[in-house]
Amino acid sequence: MKFFIDTANLEQIKEARDLGILDGVTTNPSLMAKEGITGHDNVMAHYKAICELVDGDISAEVISTDFEGMIAEGQALAKIHSNIVVKVPMIKDGIKAIRWFSDNGIRTNCTLVFSAGQAILAAKAGATYLSPFIGRIDDMNWDGIELIAQISDIYAIQGYSTEILAASIRNPLHIVRAAEAGADVCTCPLNSILGLLKHPLTDIGLAQFLADHKKAEG
Ligand code: E4P
């Protein structure tokens, strides 16, 4: 499973990259706003800065909701860097845009996915990535991981090449369960990635090893 970091924060992106396990970055308009990145030129410059930090797929989301607008925005985003993946919402014009981008050699990430039916449509349209939002489904008292498993089964049976990108990750267990359910990629906040490191027995064991070493060395 590939690891993407889900943030527009350059320091956090660097920290995850320096772990040596990072395959890409996802952003969305809320994450950009959280970093105070506003205005077309600043947004484009920020995507460029992310592309310069990480050699991997970088999702950049369109704001338009009509076909023509999405195509124009997506083309401009794709020109920033060859690693840009255009993030398109799961709406009717979004599906048409994904088909157009796919036919014109521009890679896409279909976002805001909450059902298997939407996953089938996105794959048929030629999406490169599909982003089911696990955490937001869990927040509604449904099971986000169950959706990942269902889509994973459908894509295997049908031979679809769209990669399942588990998004809206809230904790380290989501990452483990997404891997188990067949996600190809998991995009995670830095805290969830770092949370994978934690186990009290590791800390206790390391303290013991170091104490024994110190005693033996006098
Ligand atoms: C990433 O591609 C998604 O936009 C993001 O994971 C959504 O996460 P949230 O539900 O925590 O906002």
Side-chain angles (χ1 to χ4, degrees), residues 125-144:
T128 313
Y129 294 107
L130 177 90
S131 289
F133 277 29
I134 295 181
R136 293 193 196 188
I137 295 174
D138 286 3
D139 291 345
M140 295 294 286
N141 204 23
W142 293 328
D143 189 343

Side-chain angles (χ1 to χ4, degrees), residues 192-215:
S192 299
I193 298 175
L194 297 178
L196 291 172
L197 287 165
K198 290 183 193 156
H199 199 291
L201 291 178
T202 302
D203 300 337
I204 293 167
L206 181 60
Q208 183 71 57
F209 287 156
L210 295 179
D212 289 345
H213 173 74
K214 201 171 169 192
K215 215 186 300 169

Side-chain angles (χ1 to χ4, degrees), residues 1 3 145 169-179 186 188-198:
M1 186 173 76
F3 267 76
I145 294 293
I169 294 290
R170 302 270 193 263
N171 55 57
L173 189 57
H174 268 158
I175 302 175
V176 174
R177 296 199 59 220
C186 206
C188 327
L190 181 63
N191 279 348
S192 299
I193 298 175
L194 297 178
L196 291 172
L197 287 165
K198 290 183 193 156

Side-chain angles (χ1 to χ4, degrees), residues 6 26-28 87 111 131 133 136 167-170 187:
D6 194 23
T26 53
T27 60
N28 63 37
K87 213 169 164 195
T111 188
S131 289
F133 277 29
R136 293 193 196 188
S168 187
I169 294 290
R170 302 270 193 263
T187 189

